[in-house]
Amino acid sequence: RYQCLLGVSQIITRRLLVGLGYESVSEEGYLNNPYRSVRILGASQYEVYPRTRDSQAIALRAVMGFGNELRPLVRSVRAEYRYFNDTWDISASTYTLAVQQYFGERWIGELRYRYYQQSAASFYSDNFSARMTYMARDKELSTFSSNSLGAKVSWNFVNQKSFRMSLNFSHDYVNFDYQDFTDVRTGERYSFSANILQLYISAWY
């Protein structure tokens, strides 16, 4: 597996920062799951993937700061768009929007929203009509979209110039909708939602 990452950022004004990122990944070998199966006219058969996969992604990001004379940075807004495609004919777009706000000297709050959508791989099918060279029924290779809405609170309990530590709590609600993957238990299109809670400590030095 080879991965290349390139990025550049530029300060446009005192309050505006933009960045551009590029990622390239090349993989070769056994890339599928040995325990997952496909359906051919309802009958089960092991998946067969290509042994190579090349992907590229490009991301554009902008951060805008807001403040006043006493505090140059009180609030920031971050927007990001990322486009992905690969040799399996998957293409995906990710949209992210987040707002951060300082409350006093040690507290930071954040609200964020993320939307993701992708197309299916060329060799994906929920139920194949005939045997093919490559076959997959992994829902992560299907056509689907997801939404995520989250909030985070951070307390900087150590706030020195050369060393900082913060206690962080975040909550995210996520929802996934699969357009062409069937839940075999119900015969309906599969979807799910979840609540993700995190409590952790971060340190910078």
Side-chain angles (χ1 to χ4, degrees), residues 8-22:
V8 61
S9 60
Q10 177 66 49
I11 298 173
I12 305 301
T13 68
R14 291 182 59 191
R15 301 184 184 275
L16 177 61
L17 174 71
V18 298
L20 181 67
Y22 171 80

Side-chain angles (χ1 to χ4, degrees), residues 132-147:
M132 298 174 58
T133 303
Y134 302 116
M135 299 180 295
R137 194 178 174 268
D138 181 356
K139 66 182 184 298
E140 303 308 317
L141 300 184
S142 68
T143 303
F144 74 92
S145 62
S146 69
N147 292 272

Side-chain angles (χ1 to χ4, degrees), residues 23-202:
E23 179 183 16
S24 176
V25 178
S26 179
E27 299 173 288
E28 182 176 359
Y30 187 76
L31 301 178
N32 55 297
N33 188 319
Y35 306 106
R36 190 180 290 116
S37 61
V38 299
R39 296 191 300 171
I40 305 176
L41 298 176
S44 294
Q45 168 71 40
Y46 285 118
E47 289 185 323
V48 182
Y49 282 27
R51 292 187 61 84
T52 60
R53 184 183 189 183
D54 298 323
S55 64
Q56 299 181 80
I58 188 168
L60 179 63
R61 182 183 188 187
V63 181
M64 186 72 179
F66 301 89
N68 50 47
E69 294 297 329
L70 296 178
R71 296 194 62 182
L73 181 60
V74 176
R75 183 185 307 109
S76 68
V77 177
R78 183 180 80 253
E80 183 174 346
Y81 171 74
R82 182 178 185 267
Y83 176 76
F84 168 93
N85 71 343
D86 65 11
T87 51
W88 291 0
D89 287 341
I90 295 176
S91 60
S93 293
T94 307
Y95 305 85
T96 304
L97 182 64
V99 178
Q100 278 193 339
Q101 172 77 47
Y102 276 92
F103 297 95
E105 297 293 332
R106 295 181 178 271
W107 292 89
I108 303 175
E110 179 182 271
L111 290 175
R112 53 182 178 260
Y113 172 75
R114 179 181 180 271
Y115 175 73
Y116 175 85
Q117 62 177 2
Q118 79 166 42
S119 62
S122 59
F123 54 93
Y124 169 85
S125 178
D126 188 41
N127 191 3
F128 289 87
S129 59
R131 187 182 301 275
M132 298 174 58
T133 303
Y134 302 116
M135 299 180 295
R137 194 178 174 268
D138 181 356
K139 66 182 184 298
E140 303 308 317
L141 300 184
S142 68
T143 303
F144 74 92
S145 62
S146 69
N147 292 272
S148 173
L149 181 63
K152 176 182 174 183
V153 177
S154 300
W155 173 44
N156 296 319
F157 60 91
V158 177
N159 197 16
Q160 301 176 359
K161 290 184 177 180
S162 59
F163 182 71
R164 290 185 297 148
M165 294 186 69
S166 67
L167 178 65
N168 310 276
F169 173 76
S170 70
H171 171 240
D172 289 275
Y173 173 79
V174 296
N175 175 262
F176 285 79
D177 289 306
Y178 296 88
Q179 278 74 55
D180 49 10
F181 182 83
T182 302
D183 187 340
V184 295
R185 300 168 299 180
T186 63
E188 303 292 333
R189 290 191 310 179
Y190 183 63
S191 65
F192 75 92
S193 58
N195 290 285
I196 303 171
L197 303 176
Q198 297 183 79
L199 179 64
Y200 58 96
I201 292 177
S202 300

